[in-house]
Amino acid sequence: MINGVSLYSFTNKRKLQAAGCVWNTRPKGGNTRRGYLLTRIEGKIGSPEKPLSDLGLISYRSYWKDVLLDYLCSRSGTQLSIKDVSQEMAINSYDIVSTLQALGMMKYWKGKHIILKKQDVLDDYAERVKRRGNVLKIDPDCLRWTPFVSPTLTGPTS
């Protein structure tokens, strides 16, 4: 246990790779926090293995909602690209679209997906964050990790 937080689960999408890793940490208050930290640092886009169980969907959707709403609350301007959000947050674009649809913040109009900035949804999120208080975040600067690189064969292969 470090600073009241213990790593209790490390799940990996592929053996020996960190493409879809989720770190689950449990602070003393019992809140579960999930992050795509390894995926983000590696510069890849992550997504859990599909199909998700009902409980798995609830867990991931909760994380995706927090990340997306935090991103939208802290962002100004009128232009937003799903691809840019995906790369910045290390979340698969399909997962972003499905989460925005679940929040009622995605509309398909004239052949294009449009993100609706619903102020009431953002205000509700901001209020929940205030009530929740400080949430423990993993400091990426404290991570000491090197991505796994599969060894390549050298020489003749006969």
Side-chain angles (χ1 to χ4, degrees), residues 11-31:
T11 315
N12 204 315
K13 181 177 174 184
R14 293 183 192 96
K15 192 174 185 180
L16 300 175
Q17 293 182 359
C21 288
V22 175
W23 269 8
N24 294 319
T25 57
R26 185 173 299 272
K28 285 184 177 175
N31 247 343

Side-chain angles (χ1 to χ4, degrees), residues 38-109:
L38 297 179
T39 305
R40 198 175 303 149
I41 289 172
E42 196 174 16
K44 293 187 175 182
I45 306 298
S47 186
E49 290 183 27
K50 308 282 190 313
L52 285 170
S53 65
D54 292 343
L55 191 53
L57 180 60
I58 289 168
S59 296
Y60 275 97
R61 178 81 37 91
S62 173
Y63 169 73
W64 295 328
K65 282 179 9 182
D66 273 0
V67 168
L68 291 172
L69 291 173
D70 183 61
Y71 183 85
L72 293 172
C73 283
S74 64
R75 193 169 189 316
S76 60
T78 58
Q79 297 293 317
L80 185 65
S81 160
I82 297 291
K83 182 180 176 183
D84 292 343
V85 175
S86 175
Q87 290 174 339
E88 205 169 318
M89 300 290 106
I91 300 173
N92 184 288
S93 58
Y94 172 81
D95 299 328
I96 292 170
V97 169
S98 69
T99 302
L100 289 171
Q101 287 172 335
L103 289 167
M105 297 179 74
M106 177 70 72
K107 182 178 179 180
Y108 193 73
W109 187 64

